Amino acid sequence: MSPPPENPRPEAPRRKLRLLCLHGYHGSAETLRSQMRALFEGLDSLVELVCVDAPSLAQGDFGWWHAVQDARAPAREDPGLGSAARYYKGWERSRDALVACFQRQGPFDGVFGFSQGAALTGLLVGLRAPDGRPTPEHPLAFRFAVLVGGFPSNDPSHGALYASRESYALPSLHLVGRADGIVPPRDTRALAARFVNPLVVEHDGGHVIASTPAVREQVRGFLEARLREVSAEALALPREPLTLPLWPG
């Protein structure tokens, strides 16, 4: 008589990663979806992309902020690049809109940002609650970040965000275009250096969301690792007791 089968190992609940996606200075959610399409083609089983517009677009403006000399200065064509100190006009509006987005459309497992959206993603990491429990000071909860062609903020008021080192101790992937003529590669690397253990992937392209086979392989591997972590945590969570009725009543 054959021995009874062993209890099967429980499977992790199947789900996708949810990724909040932030566009560049002159972009929009629709533009970003088009820019991301080639990189994320074939990754539908891993990730759900949620692209959102900057709140400025609803008011006939653009960008997540405009870098100006001070709060009273008029907006101009400056996304905030460079080492000179600037005031990011519109940052507070964008911050509040995205905190509300997390509450309304979340939860999100990660945040993806391109160009100015990557700079914004770097600031949102500073607002991240390291233990996953939002507070007024750290109102966001997510697990990882993907930043493409980003740059560090030169608004002095953001120094406190970057100083929150525990918030930056999360898996992060940074794509750097060696031929980027809009955001210098050194600035993208400087943003990566704000993170505790960044994974930096370089390619020969410019200011684009690259989709070469090598980049696609790195992105897929990074997302698969994040999904395994989420699944392992889900298995470790205590389950509600299962009630099985043996007879009516």
Side-chain angles (χ1 to χ4, degrees), residues 36-47 216 220 224:
M36 298 176 69
R37 187 171 295 121
L39 176 59
F40 284 87
E41 185 177 3
L43 300 182
D44 296 350
S45 62
L46 292 178
V47 62
R216 283 174 52 82
R220 174 182 281 276
E224 287 176 340

Side-chain angles (χ1 to χ4, degrees), residues 26-27 39 61 73 80 86 95 97 105 114 121 138 155 172 180 201 213 215 217 224 233:
H26 280 279
L39 176 59
D61 196 3
R86 293 286 189 273
R95 176 200 61 202
Q105 295 179 244
F114 172 55
T121 299
H138 295 97
D155 185 326
S172 64
D180 194 331
V201 177
V215 169
E217 182 180 356
E224 287 176 340
E233 287 187 18

